[in-house]
Amino acid sequence: MKTEWRIFLIIAGFLFGATILYAAWTNGASGGVEWVGTIALLLSFLLCTMCGGFFWFVSRRIDLRPEDRPDAEIADGAGEVGFFSPGSYWPFGLALAAAIASLGLVFWQYWLIGAGLVAVVFAACGLLFEYYTGTRRTAEH
C-alpha cells in the first residue's frame, strides 16, 4: 500500500498546482476565473487526496506486502490472492440504473431521476449482499 498512497498523493499535488495555475491563468487572460474548470480540477485533487489518504491509513495498519519490500522474492507473492466472483449480473443492473438516473438528469425529468436513484440503491444493495442471501444458521438453533 506504500506505493499506492505515494502515487495518489503525488498526483493530488500536481492537481492542486494545476488548479492554482489554471485559476490564475484564466483570471489573467479573461479578467475572471473560469469556475467550471477550476472546480473540476479542485474536485479531482480532493478525490486523489481521499484515495491517497485511505491507502496511507490502511498501509499503517497492515504488514508490508511483497510489493512494498525491496528485498522480496517473486515467490513471496505466490498463493491465494482473494475471492473473486465467478460471474454476477448486478454490475450490469447497476450500470443500467445509473444510465436511467443520468437520462433523468439530462432531460430534467424528476420521476425518471427518482426511479433511477431507487434502482441504483436496489442494484447496489444487490451487489453488496450478493453472497449474504439465504438462511443463516446460528449456534442457538
Side-chain angles (χ1 to χ4, degrees):
M1 294 285 173
K2 191 168 153 183
T3 306
E4 289 90 345
W5 71 261
R6 285 184 177 170
I7 289 173
F8 272 103
L9 292 182
I10 287 170
I11 293 172
F14 169 77
L15 287 170
F16 185 70
T19 303
I20 293 171
L21 181 66
Y22 184 81
W25 198 316
T26 56
N27 188 26
S30 64
V33 175
E34 198 275 315
W35 288 108
V36 174
T38 304
I39 297 298
L41 284 168
L42 182 66
L43 290 175
S44 298
F45 156 73
L46 291 173
L47 181 64
C48 283
T49 304
M50 181 183 69
C51 292
F54 171 76
F55 285 135
W56 173 76
F57 182 76
V58 170
S59 72
R60 291 182 23 206
R61 284 165 174 66
I62 63 172
D63 294 332
L64 283 178
R65 301 175 305 161
E67 295 88 8
D68 296 328
R69 293 191 343 247
D71 62 335
E73 299 286 333
I74 292 176
D76 292 340
E80 185 175 331
V81 176
F83 174 75
F84 298 97
S85 178
S88 174
Y89 293 109
W90 286 112
F92 176 75
L94 189 60
L96 184 64
I100 290 170
S102 299
L103 279 175
L105 282 172
V106 166
F107 295 112
W108 205 242
Q109 298 293 318
Y110 295 115
W111 66 273
L112 197 55
I113 295 170
L117 291 178
V118 167
V120 164
V121 168
F122 178 73
C125 288
L127 183 63
L128 181 65
F129 297 116
E130 184 173 17
Y131 293 102
Y132 295 102
T133 59
T135 60
R136 181 175 170 187
R137 299 190 185 267
T138 61
E140 299 171 0
H141 292 113

